[in-house]
Amino acid sequence: MIKSIQELEEIRKKALEELEFRKQQGEGIRVVVGMATCGIAAGARPVMLKFIEEIQKRNLKNVTVVQTGCIGLCKYEPIVEVYEPNKEKVTYVKMTPEKVTRVVAEHLVNGKPVYEYTIGYEENKEANN
């Protein structure tokens, strides 16, 4: 129970600081890993853990990793979507922990998506076979 106006002000201040932190995080890069049953069965969990490990190792404060349900493209699982402010979403498919290292280094750090891991590349490859 709140016992004073001062205590209420402290709660308000903390809530506003957390809200501001979330706003700042929203301005960064968001990595979304498909973690529905199909994604997990295809290996999404180790992929997500590798993203978290690589991002922490590089101390990338502007990148958040979140999970989502079914993205709707089960044959391409594990799927990872990268959202950057004012840029088109990049969808990576058939991801592995080994591919994550390159995506983090080239895309998240240097801003250059790894085209051969994207859905566009995969669809072109299928169309030409």
Side-chain angles (χ1 to χ4, degrees):
M1 183 187 305
I2 299 171
K3 298 181 181 175
S4 70
I5 297 287
Q6 182 181 359
E7 191 176 344
L8 183 61
E9 276 300 315
E10 287 174 22
I11 292 170
R12 180 179 176 273
K13 182 180 175 190
K14 185 174 181 178
L16 287 173
E17 286 171 1
E18 287 177 15
L19 184 63
E20 184 59 30
F21 177 75
R22 274 190 250 137
K23 277 187 197 171
Q24 290 171 359
Q25 292 290 34
E27 294 170 9
I29 299 168
R30 209 164 40 105
V31 176
V32 180
V33 182
M35 292 286 285
T37 306
C38 52
I40 292 169
R45 191 175 312 279
V47 168
M48 186 175 76
L49 294 174
K50 186 67 172 177
F51 265 107
I52 293 168
E53 176 189 317
E54 290 292 323
I55 288 163
Q56 287 176 342
K57 187 166 65 175
R58 289 173 169 77
N59 200 27
L60 301 176
K61 299 287 188 199
N62 67 325
V63 181
T64 55
V65 178
V66 296
Q67 61 185 36
T68 190
C70 184
I71 294 174
L73 301 165
C74 299
K75 73 177 187 175
Y76 294 120
E77 292 287 356
I79 298 174
V80 175
E81 296 177 327
V82 177
Y83 295 87
E84 295 178 89
N86 306 314
K87 292 187 179 179
E88 272 195 45
K89 166 185 77 176
V90 176
T91 302
Y92 291 108
V93 297
K94 299 181 179 179
M95 287 297 291
T96 64
E98 295 75 28
K99 290 179 178 180
V100 169
T101 304
R102 185 170 170 204
V103 169
V104 170
E106 293 183 25
H107 188 166
L108 303 184
V109 173
N110 293 312
K112 297 177 185 158
V114 183
Y115 179 67
E116 60 265 30
Y117 297 167
T118 65
I119 191 165
Y121 181 84
E122 194 64 32
E123 288 174 336
N124 285 339
K125 191 169 78 173
E126 287 176 1
N128 291 323
N129 285 335

